[in-house]
Amino acid sequence: MLVPMSKVYIIGLKKYFLDALEELQTYGKVHLTDLSDGIAKGEMPIESMRLFKTSEEELDELRSLKSRGQILIKNLFGNPGIDSNCSSLEREEKLSIAALAKQANEYFAAAEPEASGLVQKVEDLSEEQAELLQYEPLLVKIEPTVKKLVGDKDMYSTAIIVEARFRAAANELRDMLEKISEGAATTVVKSLGDEMLGIVVVVDNEHAPIVRQTLSDEHVNHIKLPGTFEELPFSEALRAIHERIEILPEKIDKAQIELALYAENQREKLCETTYGILNCIHQLEAIEQFGETAYTFVIAGYVPSDELPELKKLLEDKWANGVVVDEIPIETKEYSKVPVELENGARFKPFQAALGIWGQPVYGTFDPSFIIAMSFPFIFGMIVGDVGYGLLLLGFCLFFKWKYPKNGVVQAFTGVLAPGGLMAIVFGVFYFEFFGNLASEYIPGLNTLKPIQITSSFSLPFIRTSSDMMMTLLVMAISIGFIEIVAGLIMGVVNHRHMGERKEAIEKSGILVILFAVLAMVTFKFVPVLTSGLSTESAAIVSYLIYFVLAVGFIVSIAGGGIMGAIETMESVSHIASYIRIMAIGLVGALLADAANKLAFVTMPNAAGIFLALILHVLNFAIICFSPSIHALRLTFLEFFGKFLETGKVSYKPFAHVGKDEQS
C-alpha cells in the first residue's frame, strides 16, 4: 500500500530558523515543497525567502569543494559516486559554513597531491607494461634476423615496423639507407604477419648516427624502445624488456596496494568532509523554497502520518512557543502533488523497480506492487509452463543473486524472474512438460503415464500441444485476460472515485457492465447446458435481458466518457483478446522443445542429433529468458494497469543528511 502522508506547515521565529533547518535535516523524514509559486500568485501573505549575498558566495565555494571531493573520491576509489564509496558519517560538532570550507580546503590541499601521485604511479606502471607487451612479440620475431646480421660484430641495429601495403616504400627506404651509408647498411625486410612488415637495419657504428638521423627526419614509424632501453644493443634491450615485463606485475600490485591502503585510511575523513559539504549545499539550496515574514519563517512539506507525532515532539518540545508544526488536511485535488512512498516488504522491491518503468501511482490510489508480483509470475509461468526450463531459470536466478549480492540491477532482475521460474515449474507439472515432451514421450516410466480425461476438452495433466486441447487453452488465456481487465476496471472505478473524477468512474462502470453482458452472451451461446432447461420463451427473455444490459452499459460509458467511452470499450475488448499471446507464445516454445527432442531421439538418434537438440534447447531457453518476460510485462502494464493505474510525478524524497537512507 501507499504510505499515508500528512501535509504540514512548520512556522517559527526566525532566530530558530537555522537550528530548526539542521534539526529537520538530521530528522530526515520531511519531504519539502516549494512555496515560491504560491507566494508569487498571492495565495500566501508572506514573502519568499532569499539567500544573502554572503550565502550565495558560500554556496559557490561549497559547490567548488564538492567537485574537488568527487575528483578525489574518483582518484582513490575509481568511482565518483559518493554513496557507493562512503557510509553516512555524522559530525560530532556542528561547524559553521566558513569553518567547514576552511577545513575542507586544508584537507583537500594536503590529500590531492598525494592521491594524484599514487594514481599516477599506478597509471605509469600500467602504461609501461602495456607498451612493453605491445613491443615484445614484434621484437621476438625480429631478433633471429638481427642476430644473424650482427653476429659477433659490434654494430648498431634497429627495426622498423610498417604496414604490408607499403612494401614498395620499404624497398625505397632500403635503397636510401644503403646510399647514405655508402653501402655500409644492411637492410632486410621480414613479414610479421598478414598486415605488418619488419625492416631490420644493421650498420657499423661509424655510420649509425646518420642512419638514426635519416630515420628521424623521414618520420618513419619505427620501434622506439622505451626509456632506458633505447641506447642498448638490440639483443640486450630485448633481454632487459623480458626482465622488466616479469617484474612489472609485482610493482603494479604493490602500487595498487599502496593506493588502496591510502584510500582506506582517508575514507572516513574524506566521506565526513564531502558529506558535510553536501549537507550544507542542500540546506542552502532548500532555503529559497521557504517563506518568511519580518519575524517568522514558514516551511511546508509532507511527512509520513505515523511520523507526525515524533516531528511535533522534536520541534515543539525543543522550541516551546517558538516553533509550531501545523497539520493541514490534504484535499483530493492535491493528490497529484503529494509525494508517494510505496510501503511493501523486501519481497516486493524487485517488482517496485519494474513498476518504475511505468511510473509511480498517484497518491490516494492503489499500490500496484502486490498486483504485479502476482500477475507477472502467473502469466510468465503460464507461457513457459515447463519444469525443466523453470528449474534452469530458477537456478540461474539463485546463482546470480548469490554471486552479485550488492548489484541492484542483478538483484532486481533475478527478484522478478525467480518467481516466474517457480510458476513455470508449477505450470510445467500441470502441462506435464520437462524440456518439452521429454518426460511424456522419452523418459522410461514417465512416458507410460496417460492423461486422465476429465471432459472431452480437458485432461490432467493438460497436454497443451495436443490439437484437441488448443481451443481449451485459448479459452483459458482469454479467461485470464477477462479476469485481469475486469479487476483493473473495478480498481479504476475505485481510484476515480477517490480522486473525485466522477465522469471517469461512470465511464469505467459502463464498460464493466458491457463486459459482463458480453460474458453472459458468450456463456449462454457456447454452454448449452445452461439453456437446456429453459423454454423457448424463457431463453428469448434472457437474451433480450442481456441485450438490454449491454445497451445500458453502452449508454453509461458514453455518458461518462463521450466518444472516448465507445473507444475505451472497444479497447477493453481488444485488450482481453491480447491475452491470446499467452497461448501462442507458450505453444511456440513447447513445440520447439518437442522438435529438439524428436531430432535427438527419432530423426537423428546419434551424437550429432543430441548435439543439435542441445543447441535448440539452449536457444529456446535464451528466448524464454526474454520473450515471455516482455509479453508478461506488456500484458500487466499496458492491458491490465492501463485500466486503473494513475501515474504521478512526485516521489517521496525527504530532506535528510546525505547517505542517511543507505546507512539505515
Side-chain angles (χ1 to χ4, degrees), residues 433-460:
E433 290 184 19
F434 181 80
F435 294 111
N437 59 359
L438 197 62
S440 60
E441 296 290 339
Y442 303 105
I443 296 179
L446 293 178
N447 60 2
T448 59
L449 298 176
K450 298 300 179 185
I452 301 172
Q453 205 70 31
I454 307 299
T455 68
S456 59
S457 58
F458 192 85
S459 64
L460 283 177

Side-chain angles (χ1 to χ4, degrees), residues 506-541:
I506 291 173
E507 176 193 345
K508 282 186 166 55
S509 298
I511 297 173
L512 274 170
V513 172
I514 291 172
L515 292 183
F516 278 113
V518 171
L519 175 64
M521 186 184 300
V522 172
T523 303
F524 274 85
K525 176 72 174 177
F526 294 100
V527 186
V529 68
L530 296 176
T531 57
S532 60
L534 296 176
S535 64
T536 304
E537 293 79 6
S538 299
I541 291 172

Side-chain angles (χ1 to χ4, degrees), residues 92 138 236 259 281 349 359 383 410 473 488 492 495 539 571 636:
E92 294 181 0
L138 300 175
E236 291 182 21
L259 175 61
I281 289 174
K349 284 187 178 179
I383 292 174
V410 171
L473 183 60
N495 278 347
E571 193 176 66
T636 299

Side-chain angles (χ1 to χ4, degrees), residues 322-573:
V323 177
V324 175
V325 179
D326 190 18
E327 182 182 7
I328 307 296
I330 301 174
E331 297 181 15
T332 302
K333 64 182 181 180
E334 297 179 287
Y335 279 174
S336 61
K337 298 178 182 178
V338 179
V340 171
E341 174 77 343
L342 303 179
E343 187 183 68
N344 278 315
R347 66 184 183 278
F348 291 116
K349 284 187 178 179
F351 295 99
Q352 290 176 355
L355 180 62
I357 300 171
W358 189 259
Q360 292 267 39
V362 172
Y363 184 78
T365 61
F366 283 102
D367 176 6
S369 303
F370 174 78
I371 301 169
I372 188 176
M374 298 297 103
S375 174
F376 174 83
F378 186 88
I379 294 175
F380 181 92
M382 190 172 178
I383 292 174
V384 177
D386 190 292
V387 174
Y389 291 129
L391 286 171
L392 203 56
L393 180 60
L394 190 59
F396 270 102
C397 288
L398 293 176
F399 170 77
F400 282 109
K401 283 179 76 70
W402 166 79
K403 184 72 174 176
Y404 304 101
K406 295 183 179 180
N407 189 310
V409 176
V410 171
Q411 292 298 310
F413 271 106
T414 54
V416 170
L417 286 177
L422 191 60
M423 287 305 299
I425 295 171
V426 172
F427 273 98
V429 173
F430 177 69
Y431 295 146
F432 199 37
E433 290 184 19
F434 181 80
F435 294 111
N437 59 359
L438 197 62
S440 60
E441 296 290 339
Y442 303 105
I443 296 179
L446 293 178
N447 60 2
T448 59
L449 298 176
K450 298 300 179 185
I452 301 172
Q453 205 70 31
I454 307 299
T455 68
S456 59
S457 58
F458 192 85
S459 64
L460 283 177
F462 184 84
I463 309 299
R464 59 174 168 173
T465 53
S466 176
S467 59
D468 55 350
M469 297 294 173
M470 288 190 183
M471 182 56 70
T472 305
L473 183 60
L474 176 63
V475 172
M476 288 167 57
I478 293 177
S479 299
I480 297 300
F482 183 86
I483 292 169
E484 289 206 342
I485 297 302
V486 166
L489 287 168
I490 292 172
M491 288 187 286
V493 171
V494 175
N495 278 347
H496 288 309
R497 290 188 63 186
H498 284 172
M499 299 287 290
E501 298 168 344
R502 181 172 171 273
K503 285 192 173 183
E504 288 81 354
I506 291 173
E507 176 193 345
K508 282 186 166 55
S509 298
I511 297 173
L512 274 170
V513 172
I514 291 172
L515 292 183
F516 278 113
V518 171
L519 175 64
M521 186 184 300
V522 172
T523 303
F524 274 85
K525 176 72 174 177
F526 294 100
V527 186
V529 68
L530 296 176
T531 57
S532 60
L534 296 176
S535 64
T536 304
E537 293 79 6
S538 299
I541 291 172
V542 171
S543 297
Y544 285 126
L545 183 60
I546 292 173
Y547 294 143
F548 174 76
V549 173
L550 193 64
V552 169
F554 188 73
I555 292 170
V556 171
S557 68
I558 294 294
I563 188 63
M564 288 304 299
I567 294 173
E568 286 283 346
T569 300
M570 297 302 297
E571 193 176 66
S572 296
V573 174

